[in-house]
Amino acid sequence: MRRAEIRRRVIYVATIILLVVLAFTIDWQQLQQSFFQPDIIKAMFPDVILIGAKNTIIYTTLAFSFGLVLALFLALMKRSTIGPYRWFATGYIELFRGLPALITIILVAFGLPLALGIRIPGGTLGKGTLGLGLVAGAYMAETIRAGIEAVPRGQMEAARSLGMPKSTAMTYIILPQAFRIIIPPLTNELVLLIKDTSLLFVIGTTPLSKELTKFARDFMTSTQNATPLTVVAFMYLLITLPMTFLVQRLERKAGKGR
Amino acid sequence: MTVSAPPIEIEDLHKSFGELEVLRGVDLSVTTGEVICIIGPSGSGKSTLLRCVNLLEVPSAGRVLIEGYDITDPETDVDEVRAKIGMVFQQFNLFPHLTVLKNLTIAQRKVLGRATDEAISVAEAMLSRVGLADKRDEYPIRLSGGQQQRVAIARSLCMNPDMMLFDEPTSALDPELIDEVLDVMRALADEGMTMLIVTHEMRFAKQVADRVLFIDEGVIQEQGPPSDVLENPKNERTRRFLRAVEH
């Protein structure tokens, strides 16, 4: 007990010393010059919100919606009694979880037109959200499947014994309960997806279709300064932190309710 | 459908789970309005027998006829047959995301195609019947076990079943909550409902059953009126079982 107390104090003192040393050795002027230049910050507004943040949110929303629908079908297929459905779902999920998201995005944007002559319409919006949604669908499919399996078996039995066909029981009894269970992990997937929209820079975008990261990179190139990064970092946190808090609250609530 | 067809007719029913043969040839004919209590040691196959009647378990061999329809025939619309058979589970299995009222209306609307108003008035009538009219807007989690089980019975009754299956309906209940459920079941029996009840409540079986089945090792070992099976068992296994549960 006393030794633990001593160790604790040593760590506190060491931390304070480290901070003091850092405070005196860091070149604050330099730091401010590179990361917090007020002129650059001013120049970035309002476009960083009206273009960057707006597009990030639009891409995320579309990719998430598409991914969620895809994931629901994959999850149901993976639980099907029909072999080929199961095989397809398993293959799909393993493939897209195994590939880096960046590869999938490049494949959709450049691979498909080259290989098959298929052109995905809608520019970054179309190609980007399709690529991201394909990946998100694979991850969320496993989440949804776990949710369905977390609903007690008796629920399906009760529904079937009331004469409900399987699809009716799934729609009205099982899925509503499954989604309630998986709201926290799904929100997590959403946060991951928000950050993954930063990969869309590879598609090469028009000035109006830039999301936050592309927006910052272009600004960095023209200003030769890292301040734009700081600004978009804050923008990302502004979007993701409330969601992370939301997940924590939901998880606490779910822990209490059940 | 022949009018005279018995509600439940079971012929040489077998059920195996992998290597394990749980039912080894059960024959049973249930007449309209008959109340049958099924007793037996745990693992004897009594719940499996019940679950084969509405095809929650698919029999390995043999036939199950409900009002003359062979439900083991792949051509039969199982959902239609199931809607006629009420089932009450040990764990109640109410839908926790729906209010009591919605628990009672959802199958009426989605299976029987009743209009919402009609479904609600049926549900309210059934809730008063089990003495829980004031709980219509509660969620199941707010109810006691006994209340949940009465709601579960009401939920089945909303479908106007021709017969009811009860799978150990009081086994998950605290002792002081058992009677409220048994009272509802007794009332049902008095109204002439055809009932198949797996139970450990010997006193209830004695009072309510027209016939008692003793099942062990996957076959009906002994059956007859409760006064015979429960009070003067002929089979040695039945005697041993009854002695064990009395203590």
Side-chain angles (χ1 to χ4, degrees), chain A residues 93-227:
Chain A
I93 291 167
E94 295 311 326
L95 178 69
F96 283 100
R97 284 200 309 178
L99 290 179
L102 193 54
I103 300 280
T104 306
I105 293 165
I106 294 172
L107 271 176
V108 169
F110 307 111
L112 285 183
L114 276 180
L116 307 167
I118 302 171
R119 245 171 222 298
I120 312 294
T124 315
L125 191 70
K127 293 175 203 152
T129 55
L130 178 65
L132 279 177
L134 288 174
V135 179
Y139 282 98
M140 290 194 284
E142 286 294 275
T143 310
I144 294 176
R145 187 174 67 92
I148 292 173
E149 276 161 20
V151 177
R153 257 188 70 186
Q155 291 292 310
M156 182 54 104
E157 290 182 351
R160 297 307 302 277
S161 69
L162 287 165
M164 288 188 205
K166 209 171 189 175
S167 56
T168 309
M170 203 34 110
T171 311
Y172 296 101
I173 306 301
I174 307 299
L175 285 179
Q177 295 185 58
F179 272 99
R180 223 160 278 201
I181 296 170
I182 60 173
I183 284 175
L186 273 189
T187 316
N188 253 334
E189 310 270 8
L190 183 58
V191 171
L192 292 177
L193 199 56
I194 292 169
K195 296 185 290 176
D196 277 354
T197 53
S198 63
L199 298 172
L200 297 185
F201 76 90
V202 288
I203 296 178
T205 46
T206 62
L208 284 179
S209 68
K210 294 173 187 171
E211 40 65 54
L212 279 171
T213 303
K214 175 74 173 161
F215 188 86
R217 285 165 58 96
D218 290 355
F219 234 92
M220 278 173 76
T221 317
S222 58
T223 58
Q224 291 298 310
N225 188 280
T227 304

Side-chain angles (χ1 to χ4, degrees), chain B residues 3-10 27-37 65-68 162-165 189 192-196 209-211 213 223:
Chain B
V3 184
S4 58
I8 304 171
E9 188 136 51
I10 297 170
D27 293 275
L28 179 66
S29 184
V30 183
T31 60
T32 305
E34 195 177 15
V35 176
I36 297 184
C37 283
L65 292 100
I66 300 297
E67 294 174 345
D162 294 343
M163 63 204 84
M164 297 269 293
L165 311 175
M193 176 66 77
T194 308
M195 294 160 79
L196 222 55
D210 298 308
R211 185 163 29 139
L213 305 186
Q223 60 176 306

Side-chain angles (χ1 to χ4, degrees), chain B:
Chain B
M1 184 180 110
T2 42
V3 184
S4 58
I8 304 171
E9 188 136 51
I10 297 170
E11 295 169 2
D12 195 30
L13 181 67
H14 289 257
K15 174 65 185 176
S16 302
F17 296 101
E19 294 284 289
L20 184 71
E21 197 176 16
V22 180
L23 295 177
R24 304 158 186 253
V26 174
D27 293 275
L28 179 66
S29 184
V30 183
T31 60
T32 305
E34 195 177 15
V35 176
I36 297 184
C37 283
I38 305 173
I39 61 169
S42 67
S44 57
K46 42 191 202 310
S47 284
T48 307
L49 172 62
L50 208 64
R51 292 163 62 85
C52 281
V53 172
N54 71 349
L55 240 54
L56 283 183
E57 303 292 352
V58 181
S60 310
R63 298 207 307 164
V64 177
L65 292 100
I66 300 297
E67 294 174 345
Y69 287 104
D70 182 357
I71 60 165
T72 46
D73 180 349
E75 297 283 297
T76 308
D77 183 353
V78 182
D79 294 324
E80 201 179 307
V81 177
R82 277 192 183 130
K84 288 190 219 168
I85 311 175
M87 175 122 186
V88 175
F89 299 85
Q90 185 177 346
Q91 299 298 338
F92 330 132
N93 293 349
L94 292 180
F95 306 134
H97 62 300
L98 302 176
T99 61
V100 165
L101 190 70
K102 289 213 168 118
N103 262 278
L104 270 64
T105 53
I106 184 125
Q108 292 188 63
R109 296 195 293 124
K110 303 297 170 194
V111 177
L112 303 179
R114 283 183 187 152
T116 310
D117 291 350
E118 189 193 356
I120 290 177
S121 64
V122 171
E124 284 175 335
M126 293 308 160
L127 274 181
S128 342
R129 200 163 153 186
V130 299
L132 291 171
D134 56 328
K135 302 290 185 196
R136 50 168 271 174
D137 296 320
E138 292 283 8
Y139 280 89
I141 195 140
R142 300 278 309 269
L143 306 180
S144 74
Q147 291 171 333
Q148 289 193 43
Q149 194 60 299
R150 282 147 67 197
V151 171
I153 295 172
R155 181 174 66 179
S156 288
L157 291 175
C158 286
M159 306 297 286
N160 301 108
D162 294 343
M163 63 204 84
M164 297 269 293
L165 311 175
F166 294 84
D167 189 2
E168 304 202 26
T170 58
S171 295
L173 296 177
D174 290 334
E176 75 272 21
L177 302 177
I178 290 177
D179 279 335
E180 61 186 75
V181 173
L182 293 183
D183 287 344
V184 170
M185 291 168 61
R186 201 172 281 126
L188 267 178
D190 290 344
E191 286 163 31
M193 176 66 77
T194 308
M195 294 160 79
L196 222 55
I197 308 165
V198 171
T199 186
H200 295 292
E201 296 294 324
M202 297 304 156
R203 214 162 40 89
F204 174 78
K206 246 172 244 180
Q207 295 163 357
V208 178
D210 298 308
R211 185 163 29 139
V212 174
L213 305 186
F214 174 70
I215 294 193
D216 196 10
E217 303 205 316
V219 291
I220 299 175
Q221 304 275 359
E222 184 167 359
Q223 60 176 306
S227 52
D228 290 357
V229 179
L230 296 177
E231 275 152 35
N232 291 304
K234 291 180 187 61
N235 187 305
E236 173 55 34
R237 283 173 193 277
T238 320
R239 251 177 270 158
R240 222 183 305 142
F241 172 73
L242 288 173
R243 231 178 293 134
V245 293
E246 264 157 31
H247 294 291

Side-chain angles (χ1 to χ4, degrees), chain A:
Chain A
M1 187 62 189
R2 267 191 57 214
R3 284 187 63 171
E5 181 64 18
I6 292 167
R7 205 175 307 147
R8 226 161 58 91
R9 284 188 187 175
V10 168
I11 290 171
Y12 277 115
V13 171
T15 310
I16 290 166
I17 292 172
L18 184 70
L19 287 177
V20 170
V21 170
L22 275 179
F24 279 101
T25 48
I26 285 174
D27 185 345
W28 290 104
Q29 193 102 45
Q30 173 70 36
L31 199 69
Q32 201 232 333
Q33 284 281 321
S34 325
F35 289 99
F36 299 97
Q37 274 209 27
D39 294 348
I40 298 181
I41 296 178
K42 250 179 247 156
M44 288 176 76
F45 283 90
D47 281 357
V48 67
I49 292 175
L50 293 182
I51 297 175
K54 190 192 86 180
N55 283 329
T56 291
I57 291 172
I58 289 176
Y59 298 155
T60 308
T61 312
L62 283 179
F64 188 76
S65 314
F66 168 56
L68 195 63
V69 173
L70 180 67
L72 180 59
F73 279 103
L74 286 168
L76 294 174
M77 283 170 89
K78 191 147 188 202
R79 292 178 44 81
S80 169
T81 48
I82 300 165
Y85 284 171
R86 268 197 327 268
W87 303 330
F88 175 81
T90 307
Y92 181 97
I93 291 167
E94 295 311 326
L95 178 69
F96 283 100
R97 284 200 309 178
L99 290 179
L102 193 54
I103 300 280
T104 306
I105 293 165
I106 294 172
L107 271 176
V108 169
F110 307 111
L112 285 183
L114 276 180
L116 307 167
I118 302 171
R119 245 171 222 298
I120 312 294
T124 315
L125 191 70
K127 293 175 203 152
T129 55
L130 178 65
L132 279 177
L134 288 174
V135 179
Y139 282 98
M140 290 194 284
E142 286 294 275
T143 310
I144 294 176
R145 187 174 67 92
I148 292 173
E149 276 161 20
V151 177
R153 257 188 70 186
Q155 291 292 310
M156 182 54 104
E157 290 182 351
R160 297 307 302 277
S161 69
L162 287 165
M164 288 188 205
K166 209 171 189 175
S167 56
T168 309
M170 203 34 110
T171 311
Y172 296 101
I173 306 301
I174 307 299
L175 285 179
Q177 295 185 58
F179 272 99
R180 223 160 278 201
I181 296 170
I182 60 173
I183 284 175
L186 273 189
T187 316
N188 253 334
E189 310 270 8
L190 183 58
V191 171
L192 292 177
L193 199 56
I194 292 169
K195 296 185 290 176
D196 277 354
T197 53
S198 63
L199 298 172
L200 297 185
F201 76 90
V202 288
I203 296 178
T205 46
T206 62
L208 284 179
S209 68
K210 294 173 187 171
E211 40 65 54
L212 279 171
T213 303
K214 175 74 173 161
F215 188 86
R217 285 165 58 96
D218 290 355
F219 234 92
M220 278 173 76
T221 317
S222 58
T223 58
Q224 291 298 310
N225 188 280
T227 304
L229 271 189
T230 319
V231 173
V232 297
F234 273 112
M235 300 304 291
Y236 275 115
L237 289 176
L238 214 59
I239 303 171
T240 54
L241 280 183
M243 310 206 67
T244 321
F245 283 128
L246 185 71
V247 174
Q248 282 170 1
R249 276 198 54 183
L250 289 170
E251 272 171 349
R252 235 175 293 146
K253 239 176 116 183
K256 253 189 282 176
R258 292 236 152 210

